[in-house]
Amino acid sequence: MRAFIFPGQGSQSVGMGQALADASLAARHVFEEVDEALKQNLFRLMSQGPEEELRLTENAQPAIMAHSMAVLAMLEKEGNIRLTDAASFVAGHSLGEYSALAAADAFDLPTTARLLKKRGQAMQAAVPVGEGGMAAILGLDFETVESIAQEAAENDICQAANDNAPGQVVISGSLAAIERAVALAKGKGARRAVMLDVSAPFHCSLMQPAADVMAKALQENRPRQPIVPVFANVSATAETDPTKIMNLLVEQVTGRVRWRESIAAMAAAGVEEFVEFGGKVLAPMIKRIAPDCKATSLIAPADIENFAASL
């Protein structure tokens, strides 16, 4: 069994997608369709920069999705591979869940691009710059980090935001509380506890205004039933019901990304290979969560051709 997985924010870089566009008509069509949907030359920003503009949440989110979908389009068209034949599940990390849903035909590509543009704008607007923060805590288990976050919160917000892999947890919340948590984590034996260079405190209750925006947007653009089950970040279980998927996407804005649990559950269900589309961020996590599973990253045309040939 195999799962297709899709990366989240932070996997963007200037130049992304250019080799795919040069090699594949199907990939070029993805970039053109996203540009048309957003009424923006996003592909030029992806391929040429500037980096500071690409890094903006409202640009990075649809760009990462477009890159992932271009890889999938090339695999399906040039490699003659059908997702339903090659994958038993799909999943994505944070915004990558939208890529996973697009891959599974729960959303069409233009709708996915517009939803992610709106999601990025709403998340950026939810908390004034400088009032929130995130930090990565390495070397402590999830329960210890959750306890540190609760202790550091005091009268502020401090929550576990991403349970990425054993010993890798990201916390999110009010800047002062996150700084207190970093100090506490270092005192409790964390291998590293570092503030992250992010524009907003994602996946915590401070994002409620963005969740409200997405609730309305998703009511107007309701998902279809996916053609393969999608492991949702919030539930860490395989979901197929469109209404539940929609509600979980709203919860995901403020809720924890349960990535470690999702991968472990897929491995327990019989998945032996995880294939990451458009990034090399999730595959290293897989090796820590499910070391007996194979993890493959598809980024360049040669990666796609080699993977297609292996099936």
Side-chain angles (χ1 to χ4, degrees), residues 88-162:
S88 301
F89 303 108
V90 294
H93 191 284
S94 190
L95 81 88
E97 190 167 322
Y98 285 81
S99 307
L101 287 162
D105 200 35
F107 293 119
D108 62 34
L109 183 61
T111 299
T112 311
R114 287 190 290 264
L115 283 170
L116 283 173
K117 185 78 171 178
K118 186 176 286 286
R119 182 179 183 268
Q121 290 170 335
M123 292 173 93
Q124 190 61 66
V127 179
V129 174
E131 291 190 12
M134 299 181 77
I137 311 297
L138 306 181
L140 297 176
D141 62 33
F142 176 77
E143 291 73 18
T144 301
V145 175
E146 196 169 38
S147 170
I148 288 168
Q150 289 169 358
E151 184 181 345
E154 297 179 7
N155 295 320
D156 293 322
I157 302 294
C158 186
Q159 295 168 249
N162 299 349

Side-chain angles (χ1 to χ4, degrees), residues 40-96:
Q40 173 188 3
N41 198 332
L42 184 66
F43 181 65
R44 185 172 64 193
L45 180 58
M46 293 165 63
S47 56
Q48 299 176 25
E51 186 180 349
E52 57 272 18
E53 196 175 333
L54 177 61
R55 221 169 56 217
L56 292 174
T57 304
E58 66 175 271
N59 293 326
Q61 294 200 15
I64 291 163
M65 181 278 298
H67 191 224
S68 292
M69 296 306 292
V71 172
L72 179 63
M74 184 175 176
L75 178 67
E76 289 184 330
K77 298 289 179 5
E78 273 86 12
N80 199 27
I81 305 296
R82 286 173 43 179
L83 183 139
T84 47
D85 294 334
S88 301
F89 303 108
V90 294
H93 191 284
S94 190
L95 81 88

Side-chain angles (χ1 to χ4, degrees), residues 1-5 87-91 228-231 238 265-266 269-271:
M1 289 175 69
R2 193 179 293 107
F4 286 178
I5 57 175
S88 301
F89 303 108
V90 294
V228 295
V230 179
F231 263 77
M266 282 185 267
V271 170

Side-chain angles (χ1 to χ4, degrees), residues 3 59 92 96 118 135 203 236 247 297:
N59 293 326
K118 186 176 286 286
H203 299 293
N247 292 334
S297 293

Side-chain angles (χ1 to χ4, degrees), residues 207-227:
M207 287 285 112
Q208 188 57 50
D212 296 340
V213 169
M214 293 313 296
K216 182 173 184 294
L218 287 160
Q219 281 289 351
E220 294 167 356
N221 300 274
R222 297 172 71 93
R224 299 181 289 264
Q225 183 167 350
I227 57 176

